[in-house]
Amino acid sequence: MEDFDGILNIKHLSSNAIFEFYSGTDAVSCHEVLIKTTVRNFHERHENWPRILIKEHEIAKQFSRRNIIAKSIIKEGEHSEYLIYNTEYFKHLSDFTHQKNTDYAFIYKIAIQIAHHLEIMHAKNQGHFNLSPENILIDKETYKVKLLNICAFPKYELICNLQYIAPEQTGRLTLKIDLRADFYSLGVI
């Protein structure tokens, strides 16, 4: 397992062909964090690919100031860079959807916030392209929504959550991937 400087209690969550995801605790702030890194030797096997996590961090920084994207930092690891999202005080939307009695007013409130965040991102010609319940954070007390895990290069990255992505993102259609893909995903969620 990768050693992430300053992160304790590291637990592997999931991985796909490009990324690995871990949870942990920041040693200084004691906040819960989500760690995203490319799989081992990814950049050696794909030299011509852009530094995906650096681009994702730049996008996240731009929108975290507007409370749309969870705050992140990027660090250089032993094998590649890794991105750390602060997830303290938040639950994933998937945690709420597993509850038996989810209130429809709550669902609408969350959907409207997500649509508003997408509207702001789209106004800057930036899509999320990776909406899923795991990539939507909800403040445990205020129910304010933040997004994470942006797909910085949709033409390079095939997201593993196929049930939430627009058909053109699968590569099986010849349609260009555009900002409408986010609203398709929101509708599915």
Side-chain angles (χ1 to χ4, degrees), residues 46-187:
H46 304 284
E47 296 175 5
N48 297 330
W49 278 43
R51 299 304 268 201
I52 296 169
L53 293 176
I54 292 172
K55 180 66 175 173
E56 181 175 333
H57 176 64
E58 290 169 2
I59 295 167
K61 237 177 21 178
Q62 177 185 2
F63 290 103
S64 68
R65 290 185 212 118
R66 301 194 66 181
N67 275 331
I68 295 171
I69 305 291
K71 289 193 184 329
S72 67
I73 59 171
I74 192 142
K75 291 188 174 184
E76 197 61 42
E78 188 177 329
H79 302 288
S80 71
E81 65 271 357
Y82 58 96
L83 194 57
I84 302 172
Y85 284 104
N86 182 349
T87 58
E88 185 72 13
Y89 311 117
F90 290 91
K91 287 175 74 173
H92 295 273
L93 178 59
S94 56
D95 297 333
F96 287 94
T97 59
H98 290 96
Q99 296 174 356
K100 289 186 179 186
N101 297 326
T102 304
D103 179 22
Y104 285 112
F106 169 78
I107 293 169
Y108 294 136
K109 180 178 181 177
I110 299 305
I112 289 169
Q113 287 183 70
I114 295 167
H116 179 69
H117 290 345
L118 293 175
E119 177 184 31
I120 293 169
M121 290 178 72
H122 291 179
K124 300 262 187 203
N125 205 29
Q126 176 61 54
H128 188 282
F129 301 116
N130 194 15
L131 283 177
S132 72
E134 293 79 25
N135 294 332
I136 298 168
L137 296 176
I138 302 171
D139 186 293
K140 295 174 189 174
E141 299 196 8
T142 65
Y143 299 114
K144 296 285 184 198
V145 171
K146 290 193 180 195
L147 307 175
L148 57 85
N149 199 13
I150 302 163
C151 181
F153 295 95
K155 75 176 193 174
Y156 290 110
E157 300 174 48
L158 177 60
I159 293 78
C160 63
N161 289 323
L162 292 175
Q163 66 266 37
Y164 300 107
I165 65 173
E168 60 270 22
Q169 287 180 273
T170 66
R172 299 187 81 193
L173 297 175
T174 58
L175 298 173
K176 181 179 181 254
I177 300 170
D178 62 25
L179 301 175
R180 294 175 295 178
D182 285 337
F183 290 110
Y184 178 94
S185 298
L186 178 57

